[in-house]
């Protein structure tokens, strides 16, 4: 770890577990543990895994008009949810490009928590604060709060064992619902939300950074008790790619709009105002020039980001891979790619990827590439 990288509150725990550490959004984070990414991935699909995702931003927004202010900035419509619910949403620029994607927790109209991506957190805080009306406070608690994720079919069992009596009823949370324990985040408590980034039943735990090591220890014991273990960000990436979930900087960026990325469902099209509204309405009306597609290899090879997608062997370029990996579940290469809409590419079509001069045949498939169990 270099001096420039921020350490997780659990850095010492990861070192003790002999994790491979790497840079992620300006933070030093565990990429994998000695058992390897495939084993970690499989544990999440079959039992449970524990992730440290404390690099994610944590931004409380409070005061009269806080929800209305956020709703006038971000794409999704907060009017669709009530207190105790979370929502996926986007921050767009004037051209409709995506500055970041994030989760917002709505405790009350004057009490919200935004969880942006690590690399974009400071920029999002500044943008929201610049337009904030009097009385609305945006606070950056990125280094004060930690975020842990327990994911997998036995995650409810593991979480219940770790929390004991304090967590009674947590396993019964609906998808995208949350509850606060021990008085809530503002009082040093714990927030439990049934969300995740793996496609499996799962929970995310937000708490004070100084309380994170003890919580990690309890959760890791419980996860190991159901047959799982710690998981790094490499497994998080293979899991989300199998689900077709976007990663900012790959499937979403200032050059890739929600319309192109298939994220129009996270846009409140009937809202009178949000950042990028005019550009997005125009693109939706005209139709995007490219669209995100999921690809499954039908030959041997592993696609990677930046590789060219062709309409056939010796054919013309029709797109570019945004994310590619070997799928531990499917035992083959999988990818997400932005593909030109002019060619009319549809599910079931055969394409090829140029893998360093070698042709890799792929099939266009409908995501998720493996069944989702989030609900």
């Amino acid at each position: 770890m270099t001096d420039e990288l921020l350490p997780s509150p659990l850095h010492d725990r990861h070192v003790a577990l002999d994790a491979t550490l790497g840079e992620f959004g300006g933070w030093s984070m565990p990429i994998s543990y000695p058992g390897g990414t495939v084993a970690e991935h499989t544990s999440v699909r079959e039992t449970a895994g524990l992730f440290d995702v404390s690099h994610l931003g944590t931004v409380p927004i409070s005061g009269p008009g806080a929800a209305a202010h956020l709703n006038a900035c971000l794409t999704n419509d907060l009017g669709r949810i009530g207190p105790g619910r979370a929502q996926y949403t986007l921050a767009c620029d004037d051209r409709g490009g995506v500055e970041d994607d994030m989760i917002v927790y709505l405790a009350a109209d004057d009490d919200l928590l935004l969880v942006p991506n690590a690399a974009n957190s400071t920029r999002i805080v500044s943008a929201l604060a610049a337009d904030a009306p009097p009385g609305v406070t945006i606070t950056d608690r990125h280094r004060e709060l930690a975020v842990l994720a327990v994911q997998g079919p036995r995650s409810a069992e593991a979480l219940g064992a770790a929390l004991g009596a304090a967590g009674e009823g947590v396993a019964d949370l609906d998808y995208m619902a949350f509850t606060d324990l021990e008085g809530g985040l503002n009082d040093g408590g714990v927030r439990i939300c049934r969300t995740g980034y793996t496609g499996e039943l799962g929970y995310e735990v937000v708490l004070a950074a100084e309380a994170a090591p003890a919580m990690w220890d309890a959760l890791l014991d419980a996860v190991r008790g159901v047959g799982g273990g710690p998981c790094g960000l490499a497994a998080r990436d293979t899991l989300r790619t199998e689900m077709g979930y976007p990663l900012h900087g790959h499937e979403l960026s200032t050059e890739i709009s929600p319309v192109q990325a298939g994220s129009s469902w996270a846009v409140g099209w009937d809202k009178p105002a949000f950042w990028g509204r005019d550009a997005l309405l125009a693109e939706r009306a005209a139709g995007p020039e490219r669209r995100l597609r999921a690809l499954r290899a039908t030959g041997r090879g592993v696609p990677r980001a930046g590789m060219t997608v062709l309409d056939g062997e010796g054919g013309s370029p029709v797109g570019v891979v945004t994310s590619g990996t070997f799928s531990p579940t499917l035992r083959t290469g999988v990818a997400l790619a932005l593909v030109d809409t002019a060619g009319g590419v549809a599910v079931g079509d055969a394409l090829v990827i140029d893998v360093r001069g070698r042709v890799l045949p792929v099939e266009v498939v409908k995501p998720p590439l493996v069944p989702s169990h989030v609900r």
Side-chain angles (χ1 to χ4, degrees), residues 77-228:
D77 188 354
L78 280 172
R80 296 172 177 170
I81 65 171
R85 305 291 298 190
Q87 184 183 72
Y88 177 78
T89 190
L90 307 159
C92 291
D93 61 24
D94 290 343
R95 299 181 299 111
V98 179
E99 295 281 357
D100 200 19
D101 64 331
M102 62 203 81
I103 297 287
V104 57
Y105 295 81
L106 175 65
D109 284 345
D110 61 354
D111 182 6
L112 304 97
L113 177 72
L114 198 62
V115 181
N117 286 292
N120 303 324
S121 184
T122 300
R123 184 167 67 251
I124 295 301
V125 168
S126 296
L128 289 171
D131 290 337
V136 172
T137 302
I138 291 96
T139 308
D140 188 349
R141 298 191 67 189
H142 203 162
R143 301 190 68 174
E144 299 172 20
L145 296 173
V147 186
L148 311 181
V150 188
Q151 301 283 299
R154 300 188 68 179
S155 58
E157 181 182 347
L159 183 64
L163 295 176
E168 185 176 352
V170 165
D172 298 324
L173 282 171
D174 292 333
Y175 181 57
M176 297 297 280
F178 70 90
T179 188
D180 288 340
L181 310 179
E182 304 171 11
L185 285 178
N186 294 333
D187 302 311
V190 179
R191 176 163 294 177
I192 311 288
C193 188
R194 197 156 92 70
T195 50
Y197 196 47
T198 66
E200 299 296 335
L201 170 69
Y203 302 83
E204 293 181 309
V205 181
V206 186
L207 73 169
E210 59 268 23
M215 178 65 76
W216 171 271
D217 293 344
L219 288 171
L220 185 55
D221 284 347
V223 165
R224 283 173 167 162
V226 300

